[in-house]
């Protein structure tokens, strides 16, 4: 299998963590792609977004939640509950984390603009992230649970730090403490990127 990814993408990080937890460390070859600069990515994903997983028979999977679903089904780690309220909760929290990630990517892109930045766009995206963080603080993640919801959230929180999106720890002691412990998990450590 080939995973088209970019090192800092929180969506690709989520997939890499799920791959690691499912024992797919050797079976997946990582290939860097530059979604904003390289139009060739569009041949695999018309949205020109990473991550994209290309299976050995050439089948192409995106987006990150579809890839995670496939890897977890094949690997059997059971990170995605099979059904019922647990599954609905897990997928809803994954969707929340992913949505916060899209908002964060939009903030980062906007801040990169040399001029003509749109403060109202940044403010709206940050509002979504802050509201999501408040929900997650109330959710009360515990260190004994590490499944798709927790993985999706951890990947995004790490991205907020790496890109200095916002100071999300202020007023969120439970989420902060949970994330510190989560960051020490092997699948988080081996998928982390050290910025120069
Ligand atoms: N819903 C997608 C989002 C992926 C995404 O936004 N990836 C970013 C990189 S972090 C990207 O490739 N952006 C390029 C673009 O939107 O043009 C997923 O979960 O995989």
């Amino acid at each position: 299998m080939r995973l088209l990814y970019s090192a800092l993408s929180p969506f690709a990080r989520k997939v890499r963590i799920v791959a690691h937890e499912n024992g797919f460390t050797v079976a997946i070859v990582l290939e860097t792609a530059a979604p904003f600069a390289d139009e060739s990515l569009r041949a695999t994903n018309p949205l020109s977004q990473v991550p994209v997983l290309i299976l050995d028979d050439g089948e192409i999977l995106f987006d990150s939640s579809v890839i995670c679903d496939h890897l977890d089904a094949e690997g059997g780690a059971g990170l995605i509950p099979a059904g019922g309220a647990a599954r609905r909760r897990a997928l809803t929290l994954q969707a929340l984390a992913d949505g916060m990630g899209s908002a964060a990517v939009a903030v980062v892109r906007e801040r990169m603009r040399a001029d003509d930045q749109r403060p109202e766009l940044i403010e709206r995206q940050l509002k979504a992230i802050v509201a999501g963080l408040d929900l997650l603080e109330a959710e009360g993640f515990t260190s004994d649970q590490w499944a798709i919801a927790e993985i999706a959230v951890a990947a995004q929180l790490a991205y907020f730090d790496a890109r200095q999106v916002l100071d999300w720890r202020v007023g969120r002691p439970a989420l902060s403490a949970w994330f510190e412990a989560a960051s020490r998990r092997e699948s988080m450590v081996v998928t982390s990127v050290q910025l120069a």
Side-chain angles (χ1 to χ4, degrees), residues 5-6 8-15 33-37 39 41-42 45 47-52 62-67 94 98-99 101-102 105 109 156 159:
Y5 84 117
S6 63
L8 272 185
S9 166
F11 306 97
R13 177 99 184 262
K14 177 182 63 164
V15 164
F36 291 101
E39 268 300 304
L41 180 61
R42 222 176 277 287
N45 179 354
L47 305 176
S48 188
Q49 292 184 333
V50 290
V52 175
F62 56 84
D63 63 2
S64 63
S65 52
V66 174
I67 299 172
Q94 177 182 211
D98 288 357
S102 292
V105 170
R109 299 288 306 172
Q156 298 302 342
Y159 179 78

Side-chain angles (χ1 to χ4, degrees), residues 143 146 150 154 177-189:
S143 57
W146 183 243
E150 290 79 11
W178 169 81
F179 180 67
E180 292 318 310
S183 300
R184 291 194 289 273
R185 286 181 181 270
E186 184 181 296
S187 56
M188 284 292 284
V189 172

Side-chain angles (χ1 to χ4, degrees), residues 2-181:
R2 295 159 56 207
L3 182 69
L4 311 188
Y5 84 117
S6 63
L8 272 185
S9 166
F11 306 97
R13 177 99 184 262
K14 177 182 63 164
V15 164
R16 287 157 59 220
I17 296 167
V18 166
H20 188 89
E21 295 289 348
N22 275 284
F24 286 122
T25 39
V26 178
I28 297 180
V29 176
L30 297 178
E31 288 180 21
T32 310
F36 291 101
D38 182 1
E39 268 300 304
S40 69
L41 180 61
R42 222 176 277 287
T44 55
N45 179 354
L47 305 176
S48 188
Q49 292 184 333
V50 290
V52 175
L53 185 70
I54 305 173
L55 303 185
D56 291 339
D57 66 1
E59 187 181 346
I60 295 170
L61 303 186
F62 56 84
D63 63 2
S64 63
S65 52
V66 174
I67 299 172
C68 289
D69 184 57
H70 171 73
L71 293 177
D72 200 49
E74 290 295 305
L79 302 175
I80 304 173
R87 179 178 172 81
R88 293 194 296 275
R89 172 186 172 275
L91 295 184
T92 299
L93 288 174
Q94 177 182 211
L96 174 67
D98 288 357
M100 292 164 71
S102 292
V105 170
V107 168
V108 170
R109 299 288 306 172
E110 193 66 17
R111 285 178 179 161
M112 280 175 170
R113 286 162 67 112
D115 42 37
D116 291 340
Q117 284 187 18
R118 292 158 293 181
E120 68 284 357
L121 184 149
I122 295 177
E123 194 188 327
R124 180 166 172 78
Q125 303 300 335
L126 286 175
K127 238 184 205 178
I129 296 171
V130 165
L133 287 165
D134 289 341
L135 186 151
L136 293 171
E137 173 71 10
E139 187 69 23
F141 284 161
T142 56
S143 57
D144 57 352
Q145 173 78 356
W146 183 243
I148 194 65
E150 290 79 11
I151 291 169
V153 168
Q156 298 302 342
L157 295 179
Y159 179 78
F160 297 167
D161 286 346
R163 291 298 206 180
Q164 301 182 344
V165 175
L166 79 170
D167 195 358
W168 62 268
R169 288 178 178 78
V170 175
R172 300 189 186 90
L175 193 61
S176 305
W178 169 81
F179 180 67
E180 292 318 310

